[in-house]
Amino acid sequence: MRLLVTGRDGQVAASLLEAGQGRDGAEVVAVGRPALDLARPDTVFDALAAVQPDIVVSAAAYTAVDQAEDEPDLAFAVNAVGAGKVAEAAARLGVPVIHLSTDYVFDGTGEGAYVETDATAPLGVYGASKLAGELAVAAANPRHLILRTAWVYSPFGRNFVKTMLRLAGDRDEINVVADQWGNPTSALDIADAILHAAAMLRDDFDGYGIYHLAGSGETNWSGFARHILETSARYGGPAARVRDIATADYPTKARRPSNSRLSTAKFAAVFEWLVPEWQVSAQIVIPRLAEGNLGLRLRDGTTDLFPEPTSSDLTPVKDSLKQ
Ligand SMILES: NC(=O)c1ccc[n+]([C@@H]2O[C@H](COP(=O)([O-])OP(=O)(O)OC[C@H]3O[C@@H](n4cnc5c(N)ncnc54)[C@H](OP(=O)(O)O)[C@@H]3O)[C@@H](O)[C@H]2O)c1
């Protein structure tokens, strides 16, 4: 089974590449820019056809939630039109598409964890563009799994865990919002679940549609931050105190749902696969970052490998809200 994943360096793509290594029967090929540019629909079919995949995993996306408010055309071009083109190209090649979507299709006013049939009502451009992408994917390829996930972190790319560890290298106390609830989800778990589900997409599979796929259990950003920093401290990495703040204390350009919790009962029932408790998965990723110095600036200042540009007043709230 050859899986083509879009977006070479993204968290999910990198995790799939890693998961595919040494896994019998699964070959993962990642294709990204410039060969495949979702903002240039003319590149999509040729980039996919060159790989001759058995399944396409559509993971690449415009994920800058706040920036999307200023770049709605680009966000929709990539997340809606581009995603639709990927699904259409997969259909032309006669293969299913597994498309990643988001909890931000919901407005967060619902009680409890969202199920797949709950009404969508995105609060911002990013969520709206991803919702348009879901519709485009479903229209272009009947053999689709749309996997809505949330609060993704991993050893790769930019994410909340790395941000917390980096800030803890600079500060004794970090302010983190405590009134947005959700399911931290390791991209390593997403990759495992995708490989598992992909193997079930045989000709007689009749479960195509939308699924929620996220870490089990729930917390808020502040609780997640505390867990990250306590774990880091145990592994000799950076540590800091976490102070609860309200979303209202830190207004961002894009509004976020206060309730992002996703029920994964449907995915568990159809694919007989349960994502681990978020704390269990975090215990795998955090030590990899804390011990491996993967881009961390350690408290003693001796290691400064963080590869991304940082602004001095970067806040965890802002950084965490990339999707
Ligand atoms: N991260 C989250 O918390 C989160 C939460 C819910 C849902 N999701 C969804 O899950 C999926 C995977 O997320 P992720 O965290 O792995 O994303 P990510 O780490 O932000 O990576 C996004 C990838 O998309 C690529 N990309 C952006 N614009 C592109 C374009 N025009 N053409 C081709 N590739 C392009 C990027 O390429 P470059 O490296 O070249 O920039 C990057 O490799 C996305 O669909 C996202 O919407 C993410």
Side-chain angles (χ1 to χ4, degrees):
M1 175 178 66
R2 180 181 297 155
L3 274 79
L4 179 154
V5 60
T6 60
R8 219 175 0 245
D9 299 322
Q11 295 194 80
V12 169
S15 299
L16 257 180
L17 283 170
E18 184 178 271
Q21 283 168 8
R23 174 114 28 156
D24 282 347
E27 179 193 0
V28 179
V29 179
V31 181
R33 289 184 279 192
L36 174 114
D37 185 343
L38 296 178
R40 291 181 45 219
D42 55 305
T43 63
V44 173
F45 181 77
D46 288 349
L48 266 59
V51 175
Q52 289 294 307
D54 298 305
I55 292 174
V56 171
V57 180
S58 169
Y62 180 109
T63 55
V65 176
D66 285 309
Q67 207 173 318
E69 298 296 314
D70 292 329
E71 296 183 324
D73 291 349
L74 181 57
F76 271 85
V78 173
N79 291 346
V81 180
K85 286 288 170 195
V86 170
E88 181 188 310
R92 278 175 67 188
L93 294 168
V95 301
V97 62
I98 299 176
H99 176 72
L100 273 294
S101 190
T102 175
D103 52 323
Y104 282 16
V105 297
F106 297 114
D107 65 9
T109 57
E111 298 283 326
Y114 281 98
V115 297
E116 289 78 355
T117 48
D118 282 332
T120 53
L123 293 174
V125 169
Y126 168 77
S129 69
K130 293 293 289 184
L131 181 58
E134 291 186 1
L135 297 172
V137 167
N141 190 341
R143 295 171 71 198
H144 63 266
L145 296 183
I146 292 170
L147 306 180
R148 292 184 185 140
T149 190
W151 294 26
V152 179
Y153 66 95
S154 73
F156 315 108
R158 296 190 68 160
N159 57 64
F160 185 76
V161 175
K162 283 189 175 182
T163 301
M164 288 302 108
L165 295 173
R166 175 166 46 79
L167 290 175
D170 287 340
R171 304 175 187 183
D172 294 325
E173 185 171 87
I174 305 173
N175 296 337
V176 186
V177 288
D179 55 359
Q180 292 173 27
W181 290 81
N183 318 104
T185 307
S186 167
L188 305 180
D189 289 338
I190 295 174
D192 282 342
I194 286 175
L195 287 175
H196 173 79
M200 293 173 67
L201 302 186
R202 302 195 183 87
D203 287 346
D204 59 350
F205 181 78
D206 61 1
Y208 289 107
I210 298 178
Y211 291 85
H212 292 173
L213 178 70
S216 297
E218 63 188 51
T219 186
N220 56 46
W221 287 113
S222 173
F224 189 22
R226 275 195 191 89
H227 184 79
I228 292 163
L229 297 175
E230 285 164 12
T231 307
S232 164
R234 281 209 304 282
Y235 284 87
R241 286 187 307 281
V242 173
R243 193 169 78 88
D244 291 359
I245 61 168
T247 300
D249 295 333
Y250 188 76
T252 51
K253 198 153 228 170
R255 288 169 61 212
R256 270 80 179 172
S258 56
N259 173 21
S260 267
R261 290 172 288 176
L262 299 177
S263 164
T264 57
K266 182 183 172 191
F267 191 90
V270 172
F271 295 103
E272 298 180 354
W273 184 270
L274 204 57
V275 181
E277 290 288 325
W278 68 266
Q279 296 95 330
V280 173
S281 300
Q283 295 292 323
I284 294 169
V285 173
I286 297 164
R288 272 179 72 168
L289 291 166
E291 286 181 333
N293 294 349
L294 286 177
L296 301 183
R297 183 184 303 143
L298 296 183
R299 185 171 280 276
D300 65 5
T302 54
T303 309
D304 187 353
L305 302 176
F306 197 73
E308 294 141 10
T310 61
S311 92
S312 56
D313 66 348
L314 185 67
T315 77
V317 184
K318 195 172 183 181
D319 228 28
S320 70
L321 298 174
K322 178 187 87 67
Q323 277 256 311

